[in-house]
């Protein structure tokens, strides 16, 4: 079980993103004060775009040069593709803040060999965190979303990457999309000092009830995010939390 699990329910999606931005900046200030840097892995999809835009508009003058941004997963497409998580982050955040290019670690998902792209990214992590084989990077914060099927990052139900125990980053075949995704593995997610899920909207309510209050065999991917020595924080809006019983 994680050291601590907390669930915050905000009235609206806008309130959720403001709370998430405060959490992000608060953690960043603490990490920069304590260790001179803040390492964060961003989540993809549509939900976090509003957080990134808010960070760009309300914290444009933040010490972004002490922030180091990674991607918890990436689609197997070039960075110019509309499906690219990097493109979404570039447009909503990176283009609007003064962050040095060398502080942003992009997955080279344009590589037609997804496994090679994953290995390359794993190498970037190992070099940055100065870790050897068998060691895992400890991010100050990992942002995650939850899909309607209970997936998180690109760890989908019944997909091969769920069983990965030693690699940091793998190319995961996602049958339902007939494509590879490049994704962090559970050992990396569960090594984080804090994991913050952001889940918004009534379309996620049923699955969120299953993930937070249900017993599933096997457990759903989002249920398997249990930082061993870190904080697990669920940031929800009321629509997403509508089916929770407590
Ligand atoms: C991705 C994300 C993925 C996402 C969920 C929720 O690359 O799409 O990493 O795990 O967080 O699918 O997506 P939405 O926020 O779009 O609902």
């Amino acid at each position: 079980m994680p050291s601590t699990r907390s669930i915050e329910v905000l009235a609206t999606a806008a309130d959720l993103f403001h709370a998430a931005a405060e959490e992000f900046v608060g953690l960043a200030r603490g990490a920069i004060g304590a260790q001179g840097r803040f390492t964060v892995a961003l989540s993809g999809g549509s939900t976090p775009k509003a957080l990134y835009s808010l960070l760009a508009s309300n914290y444009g003058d933040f010490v972004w040069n002490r922030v180091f941004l990674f991607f918890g997963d990436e689609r197997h497409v070039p960075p110019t593709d509309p499906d690219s998580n990097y493109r979404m982050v570039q447009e909503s955040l990176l283009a609007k803040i003064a962050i040095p290019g060398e502080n942003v670690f992009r997955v080279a998902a344009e590589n037609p060999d997804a496994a090679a792209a994953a290995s390359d990214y794993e190498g970037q992590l190992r070099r940055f965190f100065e870790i050897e084989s068998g060691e895992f990077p400890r991010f100050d914060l990992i942002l995650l979303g939850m899909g309607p099927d209970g997936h998180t990052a690109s760890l989908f139900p019944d997909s091969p990457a769920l069983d990965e125990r030693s690699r940091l980053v793998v190319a995961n075949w996602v049958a339902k999309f007939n494509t590879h995704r490049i994704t962090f593995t559970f050992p990396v997610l569960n090594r984080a000092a804090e994991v913050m899920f952001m889940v918004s909207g009534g379309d996620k309510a049923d699955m969120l009830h299953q993930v937070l209050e249900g017993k599933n065999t096997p457990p759903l991917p989002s249920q398997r995010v249990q930082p061993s020595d870190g904080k697990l924080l669920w940031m929800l809006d009321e629509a997403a939390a509508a089916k929770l019983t407590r």
Side-chain angles (χ1 to χ4, degrees):
M1 283 299 287
S3 310
T4 60
R5 179 182 100 165
S6 55
I7 298 171
E8 289 186 32
V9 181
L10 290 303
T12 66
D15 295 332
L16 189 169
F17 295 121
H18 276 280
E22 287 294 305
E23 179 75 10
F24 182 105
V25 171
L27 286 173
R29 288 196 174 108
I32 292 165
Q35 63 202 25
R37 75 182 191 185
F38 177 58
T39 59
V40 53
L42 302 178
S43 66
S46 56
T47 301
K49 192 169 181 175
L51 167 64
Y52 304 150
S53 298
L54 202 56
L55 288 171
S57 59
N58 291 16
Y59 300 94
D61 58 352
F62 191 64
V63 280
W64 290 102
N65 63 322
R66 302 310 306 145
V67 176
F68 296 84
L69 295 178
F70 296 78
F71 292 79
D73 74 319
E74 183 56 278
R75 286 79 181 281
H76 188 205
V77 295
T80 50
D81 189 290
D83 277 349
S84 164
N85 286 335
Y86 174 81
R87 174 172 161 172
M88 181 271 287
V89 171
Q90 168 64 26
E91 289 172 350
S92 57
L93 179 63
L94 302 183
K96 303 172 187 171
I97 59 173
I99 189 166
E102 61 269 24
N103 287 33
V104 181
F105 295 80
R106 182 179 69 82
V107 181
E110 65 275 17
N111 186 331
D113 180 345
S119 297
D120 169 75
Y121 205 54
E122 176 157 330
Q124 291 189 56
L125 287 178
R126 290 196 180 283
R127 285 188 295 279
F128 179 84
F129 285 95
E130 297 176 334
I131 51 176
E132 304 294 324
S133 171
E135 295 178 296
F136 297 94
R138 182 169 173 79
F139 281 88
D140 296 311
L141 174 63
I142 296 181
L143 298 178
L144 291 175
M146 184 200 75
D149 60 357
H151 82 262
T152 190
S154 284
L155 298 164
F156 286 79
D158 310 316
S159 67
L162 297 182
D163 302 323
E164 180 57 51
R165 292 283 177 279
S166 55
R167 297 286 309 281
L168 310 184
V169 185
V170 296
N172 193 26
W173 178 254
V174 185
K176 72 178 187 181
F177 295 147
N178 194 37
T179 185
H180 281 105
R181 291 270 189 98
I182 292 106
T183 185
F184 280 6
T185 58
F186 281 121
V188 175
L189 301 183
N190 288 330
R191 182 83 186 91
E194 178 164 328
V195 174
M196 176 162 71
F197 276 91
M198 290 181 291
V199 185
S200 168
D203 61 321
K204 303 275 179 75
D206 287 327
M207 180 49 72
L208 199 58
H209 168 59
Q210 269 203 63
V211 165
L212 293 181
E213 300 179 335
K215 291 259 179 290
N216 297 276
T217 308
L220 291 159
S222 292
Q223 288 179 307
R224 292 181 54 183
V225 178
Q226 303 286 345
S228 52
D229 178 20
K231 178 179 175 185
L232 176 59
L233 171 60
W234 287 82
M235 283 279 197
L236 315 173
D237 62 14
E238 280 180 2
K243 299 283 177 65
L244 298 184
T245 58
R246 52 188 183 278

